[in-house]
Amino acid sequence: MITFIIAYYNLPLEMLYECIDSILALSLSRNEREIIIVDDGSRNSCASSLTLYNDDIIYVRQRNMGLSEARNTGIKMASGKYLQFVDADDKLLHEAYDYCIGIARSEQPEMICFDFSHTTAQPAAIQHSKTVKGTYFMRHNNIHGAACGYMFQRSILGKLRFTPGIYHEDEEFTPLLMLRAETLCTTNAKAYFYRQRKDSIVSNNDIRHCMKRLRDLKGVISRLNYIADHRPIDDRTALQRRIAQLTMDYLYQIIIQTQSYHYLERKITELRKEGLFPLPEQDYTRKYTWFRRLTATTVGRRALIRVIPLMNKER
């Protein structure tokens, strides 16, 4: 029924065990689950350390090619009706995820969107929405880009895969996947435990790493913008909202990472050439509206350069 694709790379084995155990605790029989662990060229193979799980997992080791290629390998091997990505340092919260499994069993939507959590706490009442088209949902909501926050039917993938060698691969993959979903269901179930680690990719503050993250995010925005220009109006409108959100995040990260007004202006010039700036005059959210208004003027942008880094330090 569900193929769980776990990308693993140089993590403590205890984290991987906890991740696997969280899947085995779900209300799925052995015939209803498939667990594929893709070891993306870790320093040492963990195959010999997983013998206790041999009857429950498929383990494959490949040379180090990055998260995108690890997930693409898992997709190629998967046979389940539904796919679920799980990072090896995270885990699924079984009661909440079982709720999602219940939705898949009873309503069989092509895509199920659930919440992340840093704790095991759950809402007082777990509930889910009626199904809508993915394009409709994207037009009316901000989405979270993390691919791990969705269970989806393998059949809607088609030729869609993760772009190799980039950061922010989820930000490109997830909206394009959602456009393909004819039936999407959302739930407030906090089904995915996201572990915050100081040594994670997201936490790496090396300047070369930060600049690559900015370049890759800009590349994702440009590619999505190109795709939007060649899609029917509903798809285009849905993607434009996501592109605007990502562009806002891109400008925000430039301010945080560089604190340079001149660098910000240079990147805004590049965005203008692609028709990505100024940000669209849409009131998607209150935060977006204020950010759009402030970035529209040089005075506002200078103010953001002064204020945002200070706000970030106080968090």
Side-chain angles (χ1 to χ4, degrees):
M1 179 182 180
I2 306 176
T3 296
F4 300 90
I5 298 172
I6 303 174
Y8 174 81
Y9 178 70
N10 286 345
L11 289 170
L13 284 170
E14 290 73 17
M15 289 185 179
L16 179 58
Y17 297 157
E18 191 173 355
C19 179
I20 297 171
D21 288 340
S22 75
I23 297 172
L24 296 179
L26 299 172
S27 62
L28 294 167
S29 67
R30 183 171 288 172
N31 292 331
E32 291 180 310
R33 68 170 181 257
E34 180 179 56
I35 303 174
I36 300 174
I37 299 172
V38 183
D39 183 340
D40 188 46
S42 297
R43 285 186 294 271
N44 300 300
S45 169
C46 60
S48 61
S49 302
L50 296 172
T51 54
L52 288 175
Y53 298 103
N54 279 352
D55 293 337
D56 294 297
I57 66 170
I58 299 169
Y59 173 83
V60 59
R61 179 173 167 84
Q62 63 184 31
R63 66 183 178 86
N64 180 239
M65 294 186 284
L67 178 59
S68 289
E69 290 286 30
R71 287 177 173 172
N72 289 342
T73 296
I75 291 171
K76 188 185 301 182
M77 298 176 64
S79 62
K81 178 177 181 178
Y82 284 92
L83 298 186
Q84 175 66 60
F85 299 111
V86 191
D87 291 341
D89 52 345
D90 299 331
K91 63 181 180 179
L92 300 177
L93 299 174
H94 74 272
E95 290 184 6
Y97 198 86
D98 275 346
Y99 184 89
C100 300
I101 292 173
I103 297 172
R105 283 184 169 135
S106 62
E107 302 182 34
Q108 301 185 37
E110 291 182 336
M111 201 165 183
I112 301 170
C113 171
F114 48 81
D115 280 347
F116 291 84
S117 179
H118 301 301
T119 72
T120 58
Q122 291 294 327
I126 299 179
Q127 53 194 0
H128 64 277
S129 69
K130 294 180 180 179
T131 58
V132 296
K133 290 189 65 171
T135 50
Y136 178 88
F137 185 79
M138 285 178 65
R139 288 201 309 272
H140 294 88
N141 299 274
N142 284 354
I143 67 170
H144 61 75
C148 292
Y150 303 90
M151 182 200 306
F152 61 93
Q153 291 190 21
R154 182 164 55 96
S155 60
I156 70 173
L157 264 178
K159 295 182 180 180
L160 179 63
R161 296 294 185 271
F162 291 92
T163 299
I166 66 168
Y167 297 134
H168 302 286
E169 62 281 320
D170 287 17
E171 299 290 8
E172 182 173 18
F173 178 88
T174 299
L176 296 180
L177 178 69
M178 192 171 288
L179 288 181
R180 296 164 179 255
E182 290 295 318
T183 52
L184 177 145
C185 177
T186 62
T187 172
N188 63 337
K190 295 182 181 297
Y192 191 97
F193 181 86
Y194 176 73
R195 195 188 305 270
Q196 293 176 303
R197 295 188 297 115
K198 293 182 180 179
D199 58 344
S200 68
I201 292 175
V202 176
S203 304
N204 190 331
N205 291 319
D206 175 78
I207 185 63
R208 287 174 297 180
H209 175 92
C210 292
M211 296 309 289
K212 175 171 170 52
R213 288 187 67 84
L214 287 174
R215 288 194 301 272
D216 287 352
L217 180 54
K218 171 57 170 53
V220 167
I221 293 168
S222 295
R223 287 192 293 277
L224 289 178
N225 190 48
Y226 176 83
I227 291 169
D229 285 344
H230 295 80
R231 287 296 184 97
I233 184 63
D234 283 353
D235 286 10
R236 188 184 316 140
T237 305
L239 274 178
Q240 283 171 343
R241 176 169 182 149
R242 185 58 184 161
I243 291 165
Q245 184 184 359
L246 289 175
T247 305
M248 180 183 76
D249 291 343
Y250 172 64
L251 294 174
Y252 185 89
Q253 287 303 318
I254 287 175
I255 293 170
I256 291 292
Q257 300 297 336
T258 72
Q259 300 181 34
S260 167
Y261 175 77
H262 295 294
Y263 186 83
L264 176 64
E265 291 298 300
R266 190 159 74 247
K267 295 304 169 182
I268 283 176
T269 299
E270 294 177 5
L271 291 172
R272 283 186 193 275
K273 291 179 180 178
E274 295 184 52
L276 293 165
F277 192 89
L279 295 171
E281 291 190 17
Q282 300 286 341
D283 294 330
Y284 293 132
T285 64
R286 184 176 298 179
K287 178 181 178 181
Y288 173 86
T289 300
W290 279 106
F291 194 86
R292 172 178 61 78
R293 291 173 179 172
L294 286 168
T295 54
T297 67
T298 55
V299 172
R301 294 195 291 272
R302 288 186 183 277
L304 289 172
I305 287 286
R306 291 193 302 270
V307 173
I308 287 179
L310 293 175
M311 293 172 59
N312 194 55
K313 286 181 180 179
E314 292 174 358
R315 291 180 178 176

